[in-house]
Amino acid sequence: MREQMNIVVVGHVDHGKSTVIGRLLADTGSLPQGKLIQVQATCARNARPFEYAFLLDALKDEQAQGITIDTARCFFKSAKRDYIIIDAPGHIEFLKNMVTGAARAEAALLVIDAKEGVRENSRRHGYLLSMLGIRQLVVLVNKMDLVQFDMSVFDRIRREYSDFLGEIGLHPLGFVPIAARDGVNLIQKENWYEGLTVLDYVDSFTKEAGKEDQPFRFALQDVYKFTEEGDERRIMAGTVETGSIAVNDAVIFLPSGKKSAIKSIESFNKPAGSIASAGQAIGFTLAEELYIRPGEIMCKAGEPPALVGSRLRVHIFWLGKAPMIPGKRYKLKLATARVPVYLTEVRRVLDASDLTAEKGKSELERHDVGECVLETLKPLAFDLSAQIEGTGRFVIVDNYEIAGGGIVLETLSVEPSIVREHVAEREASWERGSVSISAREARSGHKSKFVLLTGPSDEFVRAAGKALEQRLFEAGFSAYYLGVSNMDKGIVLDVADAFDRRVETIRRLGELARIMTDSGTIFITAMPDTDRHELEMLRELVLPQEILTVCVSSGTLGNEGTDLEVTATSPEEASRQTENALRKEEILPEFHI
Ligand code: GDP
């Protein structure tokens, strides 16, 4: 199959976009047989001068009548490959398609009229390309015949426009002086010009790697358990976005960071295969059983992994009737992940209907394209859209409706974090009773602490948590065990969405732990399947009090990022070791009388 590349042609109205496209179609012999003569004849009949732009209209008419298959696209071919010209009927449509991924231009031709020079709109188009992350660009200075092919005119436009493009981070591959109407320098070089022709430039654009050749990404959709009794295996089901993977390959799940290896590849109603690759909806079993929640991205060890972060610089195209505003909680969907997200900063806004840049805006209105900073409540795994498209694109849900789409440009450091800011505010206005925490500690003879037990086995960690409560209580300490499932029927009862429920359980547990520890208690809970990011969130939420996280297990321990790891034959033994750790940390007195 011949290689295909999507390109877009942009520029101010009347600067010659359609003429450039029509010429490229005609001069590369890409038009349907007889089309050129037919359109020329029609013009002659109607005593109208022929225009290359009419070729496009003629093709579109045919397409509208369903004569050719593809409606919104034009093709031309070079010796190297086929080109699809993405039609941009209007800026709103084009931006919407680009930002939501319905269309994707890999490169652009930007047309400027030599006589008119760099206009405000030429700047806006440059800005538009930069916003969409289109990095490959050639600038065509058209209608050079109208300025008698004056080299100084061309040089001036080139200097002025490259300076502007440089400011917005775009570095065109080149500038070509052309006369599209007469086909000058499109395919054949004429005049003093010594650089590449437009077609040679277009052929020099580099093609993105095919999905199969990119690093492996598998978005986990669901985890199924085998139904037979005693069978503990789980099938991780989802779609391979990019790359490929084979049985025995080592894998890492992100954002949790949990590692394992592929044990088997399970297709539905088909015998198990040994390789899975881009585009396949498939299931995997793993060498070690891990608690992995849907929404994680599985990557292959040894390949560049997906990024993990909670502060992202993005471009958003906003479609919602209500504007996107800072401080409001939205839902971000990226691959199979769904996380609460906040708009924390609006850096630049472009009105998509007329491409005017608006300064000083702090929200996104309908049809605005904004360069913004988003912060998720919990770290998320993703890629930059320039690297891997499928995992670099997201939608924003407002009130159960898709209200915006966007692409990830950059991951930013986490300072300042929403959770940290929240805790600072909460603590600044914390109302204290008249009994201080030190007075409580002096009376009870121990410090307060939030003890969270985690580990691979649900039963084991819960039993260890209860045993710890029992031991501490019998030793005369103030200890309380909370079964996390109690929260489902109480504190998080109002959260219906399964994805939200997990983050909310963690968040509300953190708030609860802040209160419980303030009362002087050793507050114990058991959550088998936490990941390091959740532990980090709890650590922040419980401040100024402290958390001790302990991974307890009868067998191998996963690397869950806990403070302590305890391997014990029984939950009782695990609780004894945890108690010892509390004594060592001087939470409990070494000798309690
Ligand atoms: P678009 O609105 O950007 O698609 O512009 P068109 O391709 O429709 O061109 C606008 C007008 O400029 C048409 O009348 C063209 O014939 C004219 N035009 C295009 N290229 C050239 C050129 O190289 N020289 C001159 N003199 N006119 C041109």
Side-chain angles (χ1 to χ4, degrees), residues 1 50 52 63 100-101 146 154 230 258 306 324 378-379 402 405 510 574 581:
M1 217 178 77
F50 168 77
Y52 276 92
Q63 286 167 342
T100 55
L146 297 183
F154 172 72
K258 294 183 183 179
M324 186 181 198
K378 195 186 163 214
I402 291 186

Side-chain angles (χ1 to χ4, degrees), residues 475-581:
F477 300 131
S478 164
Y480 178 75
Y481 171 85
L482 170 79
V484 167
S485 59
N486 297 345
M487 294 178 69
D488 284 349
K489 295 271 181 281
I491 283 185
V492 290
L493 186 64
D494 58 309
V495 187
D497 183 292
F499 279 92
D500 264 1
R501 173 163 280 224
R502 177 70 192 188
V503 205
E504 276 304 295
T505 301
I506 298 287
R507 195 183 69 76
R508 295 182 194 189
L509 177 64
E511 297 289 350
L512 184 60
R514 165 69 180 94
I515 297 168
M516 292 297 283
T517 47
D518 202 40
S519 75
T521 303
I522 296 176
F523 179 52
I524 305 162
T525 194
M527 278 187 109
D529 51 349
T530 51
D531 63 43
R532 56 183 66 237
H533 303 293
E534 290 172 335
L535 297 183
E536 195 45 44
M537 188 162 162
L538 287 171
R539 193 177 304 283
E540 299 223 349
L541 281 169
V542 79
L543 286 169
Q545 315 294 352
E546 288 174 358
I547 185 174
L548 178 77
T549 56
V550 190
C551 183
V552 293
S553 168
S554 55
T556 49
L557 292 166
N559 180 9
E560 319 278 329
T562 53
D563 301 320
L564 207 66
E565 297 193 339
V566 169
T567 322
T569 46
S570 67
E572 288 69 31
E573 172 58 16
S575 73
R576 197 184 60 75
Q577 289 191 38
T578 308
E579 184 185 352
N580 284 347

Side-chain angles (χ1 to χ4, degrees), residues 265-291:
I265 298 176
E266 313 277 337
S267 316
F268 302 99
N269 301 323
K270 266 197 250 159
S274 59
I275 288 184
S277 58
Q280 279 180 277
I282 210 149
F284 296 101
T285 63
L286 300 176
E288 296 105 77
E289 290 309 335
L290 299 176
Y291 268 105

Side-chain angles (χ1 to χ4, degrees), residues 173-243:
L173 296 185
F175 281 71
V176 190
I178 62 167
R181 198 189 52 189
D182 310 324
V184 178
N185 295 336
L186 286 179
I187 295 186
Q188 242 154 31
K189 247 182 289 190
E190 283 176 50
N191 275 299
W192 44 262
Y193 178 64
E194 289 183 339
L196 297 182
T197 62
V198 175
L199 192 65
D200 286 341
Y201 263 124
V202 165
D203 275 345
S204 77
F205 288 141
T206 49
K207 181 82 195 152
E208 292 169 359
K211 284 195 166 187
E212 290 221 357
D213 301 325
Q214 292 183 319
F216 176 75
R217 298 288 185 264
F218 170 81
L220 182 61
Q221 182 82 49
D222 226 327
V223 181
Y224 299 105
K225 282 201 181 126
F226 278 88
T227 41
E228 286 122 80
E229 251 174 67
D231 197 338
E232 281 290 300
R233 285 180 304 154
R234 298 189 185 91
I235 296 189
M236 309 273 161
T239 305
V240 181
E241 298 283 339
T242 52

Side-chain angles (χ1 to χ4, degrees), residues 132 158 177 182 198 254 266 287 347 349 493:
L132 294 173
R158 181 170 56 183
D182 310 324
V198 175
L254 294 171
E266 313 277 337
R347 294 193 173 173
V349 177
L493 186 64

Side-chain angles (χ1 to χ4, degrees), residues 5-10 81 83-86 94 98 104-110 129 132-138 173 201-208:
M5 176 175 263
N6 297 341
I7 62 173
V8 65
V9 183
V10 295
R81 59 192 164 204
Y83 291 93
I84 297 165
I85 297 176
I86 296 182
F94 175 61
M98 280 294 289
R104 185 168 165 79
E106 295 164 79
L109 298 178
L110 200 149
L129 298 179
L132 294 173
I134 302 175
R135 302 254 153 255
Q136 305 195 78
L137 162 71
V138 171
L173 296 185
Y201 263 124
V202 165
D203 275 345
S204 77
F205 288 141
T206 49
K207 181 82 195 152
E208 292 169 359

